[in-house]
Amino acid sequence: MDVRPGIAWALAIVLFVVYALQQHDVLSRLQLTDLCSATVFLVALGLGEGLVLLTRGIDLSIGGVLSMGTAIAATHFVSPGTELLWSSVIIVAGAGVGVLNGALIGILKLQPFIVTLATWSIVSGVALLILPIQGGSIPPHFASWINQSSLGLPNAAWIILAMVAGWSWFKRTRLCRRIYALGSDPEGAAIAGVNTRSTLIAVYGMAGVCAAVGSILYAMLTASGDPTVGNGEILPAVTAVVIGGTSLYGGSGGFVGTVGGAFALTLIADVVFAFNLTSYWQQLADGVVLIIAVLAGGAVRSMRLRRAALRAP
Amino acid sequence: MKLAVPRRHRSIALAYLLLLVLVVVGRIVASGFLGVDHIDELIDEGALIGFVALGQGFVILAGGVDLSIPWVVTSAGILVTTFTGTNSSNMLWDVPLIIGLAAVVGLINGIGVVFLGVTPIIMTLGMSTVVEGALLLYTNGSAGGNVPHPAVFLATHKIGQVPVMGLAWLVLIVVVTFTLSCTPFGRRLYAVGLNRRVALFSGVDVKLVTCSVYVISSCAAAFAGIALAGYVGQSYLGMGDPYLFTSIAAVAIGGASILGGTGNYIGTVAGALTLSVLNALLPTLGFQPAVLDIVYGMVILVAVAAASLGGRARTD
């Protein structure tokens, strides 16, 4: 039984309790809806980033895809028909960036961080060409959906639940088993017949799609576009995944912890706000939390390796 | 026809050839491109890129990457205006203090990477946000104030027709090139970048060398930040943002392997000047500045593909 996702959820719950004690109306319907809609885009980013981390990679280009997505949304969502059309354009563009990453990493065997750093730069440039400065607008009827409820639950919560459901289905697929195999032992997986190339292309492609979906959710949340917003969201996305117990060394972890990690990060911002501290504390906390989580993950890993070494004959 | 340059200097020669081509294109499309004032401007902006790329180059040479550079540049720029203001005599103390603070940031990066085993990308990404948060807390989110006179002198003054910043860069180029090619530290650094394990077995203090490149990187970024504040005459949040991609792209154009172990600063200088010329050229060709980001990305991709495919061919 892996306890690591539990740690992320425990952190989120502790933060939530602190927040609730400090702020009175936290348990109100409105506040809970806000919490979900502020977190949902990070959950989407974390879903994709988590898959990449499972393969021992990293995807920095999600920052560019997030910026580009909000830029396209803010300039092209003008009427009900166009929203669906351009949402699919955003998703296809995200998938395209991801597949390009995957091809360069899987087929040419280039290093993930430098490839996705380069595509991050390229896609950021495209975002700035589409929308040079922060602005544009999302039609209110489309944007407000994220803050509404259906069947007694906030729509944002439904999306998170849908992603969790999707993950529990995906976990049983052959592709997912290949991803874990590739991450825990690349050479062994290749010998066992895992097609490294197509698996990596699929993983980075999915990360691109997740980032694109995240960008649409982010645009709904802020009701506008920002061609540089993604630069600041790479770190939270990675942090949510790492707090959630997914190892940077690949092969272990999962999405359930990531959801807890994403909620914990949103709640850090809420707690900072509730104690009347400036939001700058949040920046500091995000960075520190990432480094601590990575160190803790590394410590757990070396402990396991040592135990495994002791057990070996 | 065979090129008359040694094989290992071919990529550097290529970088200077690229620079020459761009300068010729610039001369053709814009009549004032090679005017003395414009050349000085190109050198100044090249120097700013060159300062940042110096540090990034050391880190890349050792097989890492430093993503915390943009906020170190911004912090140094903002601190030099808020600490010192117009009172130039303060600068004597403040510049060492700012560079010292940057050294602490670099040291933390180095300790995280070397002793705690955090991957460079995660460590420097995390530190970047920590530096950003600390700066915002200290300044309460406001930038500004006056740029002290010595920084302005460094960044904009000319001796005759020669910009002071260009001269400072020249001194740095000599020092860095000497350090890399003629000192034990330089040889150890190449050894670490080429093969960490072999370097360790050869008696190189791999941890010390790796740690020191992050300190050098942060100090170089802080120096660039102070010079940048002098150059633009003010400081603002996000002033260092462009320097992440530029620093890596300059190193890549200069023919250094993105994966570490090869390259030298003479190549990076060509890379920095190339980017400076490109920066000036693209608007005159009718491109938006955002196209530069796309160019940086392409350059980095081509460089990493060349480095890793070339490296594979060598070992096969």
Side-chain angles (χ1 to χ4, degrees):
Chain A
M1 177 68 199
D2 194 355
V3 294
R4 285 172 301 171
I7 296 172
W9 280 101
L11 180 64
I13 289 167
V14 167
L15 285 166
F16 187 75
V17 170
V18 172
Y19 180 41
L21 289 175
Q22 187 70 17
Q23 198 91 343
H24 296 301
D25 52 349
V26 167
L27 292 171
S28 74
R29 181 169 208 89
L30 186 67
Q31 290 286 341
L32 290 175
T33 308
D34 274 358
L35 178 64
C36 289
S37 49
T39 311
V40 64
F41 82 94
L42 197 55
V43 174
L45 293 181
L47 177 58
E49 189 67 74
L51 288 171
V52 172
L53 290 190
L54 279 177
T55 64
R56 298 190 183 183
I58 190 159
D59 190 353
L60 300 174
S61 71
I62 59 165
V65 173
L66 183 63
S67 302
M68 182 177 68
T70 67
I72 295 176
T75 47
H76 290 81
F77 285 7
V78 282
S79 60
T82 56
E83 285 148 8
L84 281 182
L85 175 69
W86 284 98
S87 289
S88 23
V89 170
I90 291 171
I91 291 172
V92 169
V97 174
V99 167
L100 175 67
N101 286 333
L104 291 168
I105 294 161
I107 298 174
L108 292 183
K109 312 274 183 239
L110 305 183
Q111 286 208 350
F113 88 83
I114 196 82
V115 167
T116 57
L117 183 103
T119 50
W120 170 24
S121 182
I122 294 172
V123 181
S124 298
V126 174
L128 283 166
L129 286 179
I130 295 168
L131 181 71
I133 50 162
Q134 193 177 347
S137 70
I138 309 293
H141 68 94
F142 186 73
S144 62
W145 184 84
I146 197 85
N147 289 318
Q148 289 161 359
S149 299
S150 326
L151 302 173
L153 268 184
N155 290 339
W158 281 116
I159 298 181
I160 295 173
L161 287 176
M163 283 190 275
V164 172
W167 167 256
S168 42
W169 166 78
F170 180 69
K171 247 185 112 167
R172 299 207 186 90
T173 60
R174 226 178 272 170
L175 176 60
C176 191
R177 258 175 264 149
R178 286 193 199 123
I179 292 172
Y180 276 90
L182 189 64
S184 48
D185 182 3
E187 280 115 38
I191 292 167
V194 172
N195 185 336
T196 317
R197 296 174 183 189
S198 61
T199 308
L200 284 174
I201 291 173
V203 165
Y204 284 89
M206 285 189 284
V209 169
C210 288
V213 171
S215 75
I216 297 168
L217 294 167
Y218 191 89
M220 289 166 101
L221 182 69
T222 56
S224 70
D226 183 345
T228 58
V229 66
N231 298 351
E233 296 299 337
I234 301 169
L235 177 114
V238 176
T239 309
V241 177
V242 175
I243 305 177
T246 298
S247 166
L248 283 171
Y249 304 98
S252 80
F255 179 57
V256 177
T258 304
V259 179
F263 272 108
L265 286 184
T266 311
L267 282 162
I268 288 178
D270 286 339
V271 167
V272 163
F273 174 77
F275 280 89
N276 282 324
L277 298 167
T278 66
S279 64
Y280 311 135
W281 281 105
Q282 185 209 335
Q283 240 99 21
L284 199 69
D286 280 359
V288 172
V289 165
L290 171 65
I291 294 171
I292 291 175
V294 168
L295 289 179
V300 169
R301 179 171 174 266
S302 55
M303 217 155 64
R304 281 192 183 172
L305 288 179
R306 213 169 298 152
R307 215 178 291 161
L310 285 177
R311 224 178 287 142
Chain B
M1 193 189 87
K2 268 197 143 182
L3 279 171
V5 279
R7 191 182 179 83
R8 69 196 180 95
H9 292 149
R10 209 165 281 170
S11 55
I12 295 171
L14 213 61
Y16 280 93
L17 196 66
L18 177 65
L19 176 61
L20 190 68
V21 169
L22 285 175
V23 169
V24 171
V25 172
R27 177 67 188 81
I28 293 168
V29 296
S31 57
F33 203 81
L34 290 183
V36 174
D37 285 341
H38 194 249
I39 288 183
D40 285 351
E41 205 175 298
L42 291 175
I43 290 176
D44 280 341
E45 288 180 9
L48 289 169
I49 300 171
F51 296 156
V52 184
L54 186 166
Q56 186 74 272
F58 270 86
V59 177
I60 288 177
L61 199 53
V65 68
D66 188 352
L67 300 188
S68 66
I69 284 178
W71 278 99
V72 174
V73 171
T74 303
S75 302
I78 288 179
L79 288 184
V80 80
T81 54
T82 49
F83 278 178
T84 320
T86 41
N87 191 350
S88 302
S89 58
N90 287 346
M91 194 136 169
L92 211 59
W93 298 106
D94 292 339
V95 168
L97 180 63
I98 292 169
I99 305 261
L101 283 173
V104 172
V105 171
L107 190 64
I108 297 174
N109 277 332
I111 289 173
V113 170
V114 173
F115 295 99
L116 304 178
V118 184
T119 50
I121 197 139
I122 296 288
M123 190 64 214
T124 55
L125 188 65
M127 266 316 273
S128 168
T129 310
V130 171
V131 171
E132 177 185 358
L135 174 75
L136 290 172
L137 279 173
Y138 179 74
T139 62
N140 212 6
S142 64
N146 292 305
V147 183
H149 182 69
V152 177
F153 176 83
L154 166 74
T156 58
H157 200 77
K158 290 178 190 181
I159 300 171
Q161 289 293 353
V162 185
V164 173
M165 193 144 65
L167 289 175
W169 194 21
L170 196 62
V171 172
L172 271 179
I173 293 170
V174 172
V175 171
V176 171
T177 308
F178 178 79
T179 307
L180 283 177
S181 358
C182 306
T183 64
F185 175 75
R187 280 192 289 271
R188 284 181 198 136
L189 184 54
Y190 282 105
V192 169
L194 272 176
N195 193 325
R196 195 166 289 266
R197 189 166 294 236
V198 170
L200 187 67
F201 290 153
S202 318
V204 175
D205 191 342
V206 174
K207 291 184 173 178
L208 186 68
V209 170
T210 312
C211 216
S212 64
V213 294
Y214 289 94
V215 176
I216 293 172
S217 176
S218 291
C219 292
F223 181 70
I226 294 169
L228 180 63
Y231 187 67
V232 294
Q234 56 172 332
S235 67
Y236 51 93
L237 291 171
M239 64 195 284
D241 285 356
Y243 288 94
L244 174 61
F245 296 133
T246 9
S247 64
I248 301 173
V251 174
I253 295 175
S257 165
I258 289 289
L259 308 175
T262 63
N264 67 37
Y265 193 55
I266 302 286
T268 305
V269 169
L273 285 171
T274 302
L275 291 179
S276 162
V277 169
L278 210 55
N279 205 352
L281 199 56
L282 285 181
T284 56
L285 292 174
F287 290 108
Q288 292 180 40
V291 172
L292 268 176
D293 282 332
I294 299 175
V295 172
Y296 296 154
M298 300 274 188
V299 163
I300 297 171
L301 270 188
V302 169
V304 67
S308 100
L309 299 179
R312 208 171 297 154
R314 228 184 5 236
T315 49
D316 281 351

